[in-house]
Amino acid sequence: MLNIVLFGPPGCGKGTQAQFLEEKYQTPQISTGDLFRFNLKQETELGQLAKTFMDNGQLVPDEVTTNMLCEHLDNHPNPHGYIFDGYPRTTTQAQKLDVILAEKYNKEVSITVALVVDDELLVQRLLERGKTSGRADDVDESIIRNRIKEYYAKTAAVAEHYKAQGKWVEIDGVGTIEDITAKLCAAINDVL
Ligand code: ADP
């Protein structure tokens, strides 16, 4: 089982790269952002709960997010593993993911690959995406900046969790999509 954590700030290219990796390694992408947006669209109770946080560019509480992830894993078993995109976003979530993988499959995170992109470029990319993505949180620059602020306040520290486990690789997230995919695959192939 190959469990890849794709890590990095909003707009760093996790979703784009996950599409290529899922096919190559037969590991489906699990994007907690997509799962929340699906729930929003379906107007579920979970969607309602997440909406205010998402609209303000804040993180949804850990427990809500983790329960949603667990349910998704149970409904989508895959012996090859998964690509985690957007989870973990806090140290608590990182600790939880270790427990979940151990309890459910007797496995661990195989590697965490972090895409590094300069903040101003992130803002530009997200504003550009906002023209077509239909995502309310991509249109307003102050919400985008708030998401980046949340990333530094709560998410960036997750790096320490994986560095301590020797499972942390940083990759330059600026360049062509193909070049970045090649670098990601090289890092992942090293742990296969
Ligand atoms: P981004 O482009 O900011 O990486 P995502 O699609 O991954 O966006 O997430 C969108 C929103 O969903 C986040 O701003 C946050 O409100 C919520 N969200 C997604 N994943 C998590 C998580 N692991 N923990 C808490 N909130 C989350």
Side-chain angles (χ1 to χ4, degrees):
M1 202 177 188
L2 176 67
N3 292 308
I4 303 165
V5 173
L6 260 187
F7 194 85
C12 71
K14 299 187 293 285
T16 305
Q17 293 299 331
Q19 290 173 19
F20 295 102
L21 301 180
E22 35 176 33
E23 202 181 322
K24 184 168 167 77
Y25 298 105
Q26 297 189 26
T27 47
Q29 168 203 26
I30 302 180
S31 157
T32 41
D34 284 351
L35 292 179
F36 280 131
R37 279 185 288 277
F38 178 78
N39 275 279
L40 263 178
K41 224 170 151 187
Q42 303 291 313
E43 297 180 348
T44 66
E45 210 174 305
L46 176 68
Q48 290 299 317
L49 202 159
K51 184 175 175 10
T52 333
F53 296 101
M54 294 175 77
D55 284 351
N56 292 316
Q58 293 168 329
L59 294 186
V60 179
D62 284 334
E63 204 181 321
V64 177
T65 311
T66 301
N67 289 343
M68 176 180 72
L69 177 82
C70 282
E71 197 184 313
H72 184 85
L73 285 170
D74 289 342
N75 291 331
H76 298 81
N78 181 43
H80 297 293
Y82 300 94
I83 298 165
F84 295 93
D85 164 4
Y87 190 103
R89 262 182 156 98
T90 63
T91 302
T92 305
Q93 291 181 14
Q95 289 161 350
K96 273 279 173 198
L97 185 59
D98 288 349
V99 173
I100 291 166
L101 294 177
E103 285 183 350
K104 285 191 193 297
Y105 318 111
N106 201 17
K107 294 288 176 197
E108 298 178 356
V109 166
S110 313
I111 184 171
T112 304
V113 261
L115 293 170
V116 181
V117 177
D118 169 80
D119 289 355
E120 290 312 309
L121 185 55
L122 293 173
V123 176
Q124 276 178 36
R125 282 185 183 180
L126 290 168
L127 282 171
E128 195 56 40
R129 185 170 82 182
K131 291 179 186 166
T132 53
S133 69
R135 279 179 57 170
D137 62 347
D138 280 348
V139 181
D140 184 320
E141 185 167 336
S142 67
I143 297 176
I144 291 176
R145 292 204 181 267
N146 208 33
R147 282 154 64 199
I148 297 175
K149 224 168 97 189
E150 281 277 90
Y151 172 81
Y152 286 110
K154 298 176 183 162
T155 307
V158 171
E160 303 314 314
H161 180 87
Y162 292 114
K163 280 180 188 168
Q165 297 182 355
K167 290 176 182 166
W168 180 261
V169 178
E170 282 182 13
I171 285 170
D172 187 355
V174 185
T176 67
I177 292 176
E178 296 77 18
D179 281 350
I180 297 166
T181 309
K183 284 189 256 177
L184 281 170
C185 291
I188 293 165
N189 290 341
D190 265 357
V191 298
L192 284 182

